[in-house]
Amino acid sequence: MMQKIDTSFPVHGTAVRGFFHLPAAAGDGRKLPLIVMFNGYATEWQFGTAAFIERFTALGFATLNFDYRSFGGSDGEPRQLLDIPAQLQDCAAAIAHGLVQDWVDETRVLVWGSSLGGGHALTMASEFDQLAGMLAQVPHCSSRAAFKTVTLKAVFKGMSAAIADAIGSRFGAAPRYIPVLPPAAGEYGVLAHPGWAEHYLALAEGSPTWRNAIVARSLLRGSDYEPQKTAG
């Protein structure tokens, strides 16, 4: 029981695509509070967000949900390039896009994020004084701390692929891909903690565009990301 409206906005000439979700009764001229939502690591906007969107719209909020560049319905090449600095640009552009909608109450715009998106919510809250609030669910707070939870063998395998891919990209080579989740027990994956794969695949079920892969040099695009430093 909600309205779903296609929307898009450009970021450095590339189309970012998503949806506004509005309460079913919206459209009587009243301005709505808006929650701009940021999804997690190598995910698409709909991964694990349905219950939140339903609850928020039932309470009278609108939401803006979108795919980062190179993922899902948004443009961007190479596909599945997880570039944290670029994602922060996408998040900032999404907030700006929400603020200019004539039906949005610009004094009641909030951000919500989960996992890596939770880190983005922390970062955006520190940069946009006009935001009315921030919600961060199990936020990514420190890339350095996250690396400490990974085995040296996995770090070596991932970073070797990342460096080779980064060098190859300078010479026009096709991108190298690494799996987000281990394809089988004992194999390499970026998110290899016990139990994560089952949960993640449940979120991805039904997506026609999601791939269990990111461009290897993604590991170099935000290895120093520390949202916790902005929390104060």
Side-chain angles (χ1 to χ4, degrees):
M1 298 297 293
M2 69 181 79
Q3 302 178 44
K4 184 177 181 181
I5 303 171
D6 290 46
T7 192
S8 66
F9 49 92
V11 182
H12 296 299
T14 299
V16 173
R17 296 189 174 88
F19 301 92
F20 285 112
H21 295 93
L22 279 65
D28 59 2
R30 289 182 297 175
K31 292 198 171 188
L32 299 173
L34 174 69
I35 302 175
V36 183
M37 300 177 67
F38 310 138
N39 48 285
Y41 194 91
T43 63
E44 299 173 359
W45 73 264
Q46 73 274 24
F47 284 26
T49 57
F52 291 96
I53 295 169
E54 290 171 5
R55 183 61 173 160
F56 291 151
T57 55
L59 290 170
F61 293 87
T63 71
L64 170 55
N65 304 87
F66 65 95
D67 287 319
Y68 304 118
R69 279 173 290 169
S70 299
F71 284 88
S74 292
D75 292 350
E77 295 290 339
R79 302 304 295 172
Q80 307 292 120
L81 175 63
L82 200 161
D83 185 331
I84 287 178
Q87 287 190 356
L88 292 174
Q89 294 173 354
D90 298 344
C91 292
I95 294 168
H97 183 60
L99 284 168
V100 299
Q101 304 303 310
D102 58 10
W103 49 267
V104 168
D105 181 349
E106 65 275 8
T107 69
R108 293 190 293 164
V109 174
L110 303 89
V111 290
W112 174 99
S114 182
S115 190
L116 179 59
H120 296 349
L122 283 166
T123 304
M124 292 297 104
S126 74
E127 296 181 359
F128 282 82
D129 290 339
Q130 61 267 58
L131 290 175
M134 182 275 294
L135 303 95
Q137 172 180 276
V138 291
H140 173 85
C141 292
S142 169
S143 290
R144 291 187 180 92
F147 269 113
K148 292 179 181 178
T149 69
V150 181
T151 66
L152 288 176
K153 179 181 178 181
V155 169
F156 179 79
K157 188 173 183 67
M159 295 308 290
S160 296
I163 292 168
D165 180 53
I167 294 172
S169 70
R170 296 291 184 97
F171 297 94
R176 298 186 180 205
Y177 287 88
I178 56 176
V180 178
L181 308 170
E187 295 186 9
Y188 173 78
V190 179
L191 304 180
H193 290 282
W196 282 15
E198 181 180 359
H199 175 68
Y200 198 108
L201 291 172
L203 297 178
E205 186 176 5
S207 170
T209 53
W210 183 78
R211 294 172 56 192
N212 183 25
I214 56 171
V215 178
R217 61 183 179 270
S218 299
L219 297 182
L220 305 175
R221 304 288 181 92
S223 58
D224 59 348
Y225 188 38
E226 299 287 315
Q228 64 185 1
K229 292 183 177 179
T230 71

